[in-house]
Amino acid sequence: MICPFCSVDESRIAFSNELVIAIWDGFPVSPGHLLIVPRRHTPFWANLSSSEKAATWSAIDQGQATISERFRPDGFNVGFNESSAADQTVFHFHLHIIPRYEGDAADP
């Protein structure tokens, strides 16, 4: 199976650097849902190098700024699902930055 994060359409890229790529989610929870994806294919957080972990974590700031400028959300959910038991559906590690809007869900 081809990994959807290893070859991403350029139109989905919000920003990138040598270690991570930020892409607009193909199935967004809300407008502006962004994924931070290490360039190296590996399924789990524990498999990332310390440099990849630092780049992923620091990309949250840029991701929130990019989303805020374009979508003006009221808040954010940030996190990742690891393993099928936690509902991970693409086994290339990725971190979600989900913008939230007042009243967008009864119980977010």
Side-chain angles (χ1 to χ4, degrees):
M1 180 177 200
I2 297 172
C3 175
F5 298 155
C6 286
S7 60
V8 177
D9 186 295
E10 297 271 330
S11 66
R12 290 183 58 202
I13 299 172
F15 61 88
S16 65
N17 63 40
E18 66 183 42
L19 295 176
V20 300
I21 186 167
I23 60 174
W24 301 111
D25 195 292
F27 303 95
V29 170
S30 65
H33 185 165
L34 191 66
L35 304 175
I36 307 299
V37 183
R39 288 186 180 271
R40 184 173 64 88
H41 183 100
T42 190
F44 305 121
W45 177 256
N47 300 118
L48 297 174
S49 70
S50 58
S51 296
E52 290 168 323
K53 286 180 178 180
T56 300
W57 203 250
S58 67
I60 294 170
D61 290 335
Q62 187 175 359
Q64 285 183 311
T66 299
I67 294 166
S68 291
E69 183 177 305
R70 188 165 169 182
F71 294 94
R72 305 280 187 234
D74 299 308
F76 292 95
N77 291 125
V78 178
F80 59 87
N81 304 344
E82 187 166 280
S83 84
S84 56
D87 204 26
Q88 183 177 5
T89 56
V90 176
F91 286 84
H92 181 143
F93 179 84
H94 55 288
L95 182 142
H96 297 260
I97 304 177
I98 303 172
R100 303 313 305 238
Y101 305 89
E102 288 296 332
D104 70 350
D107 187 15

